[in-house]
Amino acid sequence: MDLTINDQTYQVADDPPRVLLWVLRDELGLTGTKFGCGAGYCGACTVHLDGVAVRSCLTPLRQAAGKKVTTIEGLARGEVLHPVQRAFLEVQAPQCGWCMSGQMMAAAALIAANPDPSDEEITAAMEGNFCRCGAYVRIRRAVARAAVLARSPGEAA
Ligand code: FES
Ligand code: FES
């Protein structure tokens, strides 16, 4: 089947049926998407399907067919970092980094759908993404900052 990932088309087999995470990481080498629990709990494997944050460890490959898959590798536009990436750097949110691509994909989906989220909306949108280092305060600050950056003139989140 054809998969469109970060605006590139890949041909991958779905025999036996597989989940998106393993195709991204093991077959296509897109290892920015992380494996945490493999069971839908931690959010480390979060990617976008048509702009919506999903758990790639639970997403059957055929559910991604015909949709636009975006991984952390596709969040930037060429050399220009996404506002979420800039904000996470500015706030120095990452500690070990294990959770960060999932956090950033969740944050990007949030601010695309809700450009001016309240603190409560940020907390609600991010609560399914676990951080083993406990960097939650910085993560929330970074998401709020990302929304501000994304609303700046000339930005397209
Ligand atoms: S690896 Fe997918 S939710 Fe944990
Ligand atoms: S930064 Fe280490 S798990 Fe979140």
Side-chain angles (χ1 to χ4, degrees):
M1 73 174 60
D2 283 351
L3 284 185
T4 305
I5 305 170
N6 304 331
D7 296 326
Q8 263 188 264
T9 304
Y10 298 86
Q11 276 215 320
V12 293
D14 188 27
D15 183 24
R18 294 186 288 175
V19 291
L20 181 58
L21 174 64
W22 299 121
V23 172
L24 292 173
R25 285 185 58 84
D26 291 353
E27 185 165 336
L28 305 178
L30 295 167
T31 54
T33 301
K34 301 305 179 197
F35 168 53
C37 62
Y41 296 121
C42 72
C45 65
T46 302
V47 301
H48 296 176
L49 275 195
D50 283 347
V52 176
V54 298
R55 308 287 208 229
S56 62
C57 72
L58 294 184
T59 302
L61 203 55
R62 49 194 77 154
Q63 204 170 304
K67 297 203 168 119
K68 198 171 137 84
V69 181
T70 308
T71 69
I72 190 72
E73 289 90 346
L75 205 56
R77 285 284 159 252
E79 298 294 304
V80 180
L81 292 181
H82 187 283
V84 165
Q85 294 170 308
R86 276 185 274 140
F88 273 61
L89 279 172
E90 187 182 310
V91 172
Q92 290 287 288
Q95 194 155 317
C96 78
W98 170 82
C99 70
M100 281 295 152
S101 37
Q103 303 278 6
M104 288 192 276
M105 297 311 286
L110 166 66
I111 64 175
N114 179 0
D116 191 9
S118 65
D119 290 347
E120 292 72 25
E121 287 169 333
I122 291 173
T123 299
M126 302 299 294
E127 72 181 358
N129 285 75
F130 295 175
C131 175
R132 298 191 294 201
C133 300
Y136 295 109
V137 173
R138 290 204 308 271
I139 291 167
R140 281 197 293 269
R141 199 180 306 145
V143 177
R145 177 68 183 147
V148 172
L149 292 177
R151 292 198 303 271
S152 303
E155 286 289 356

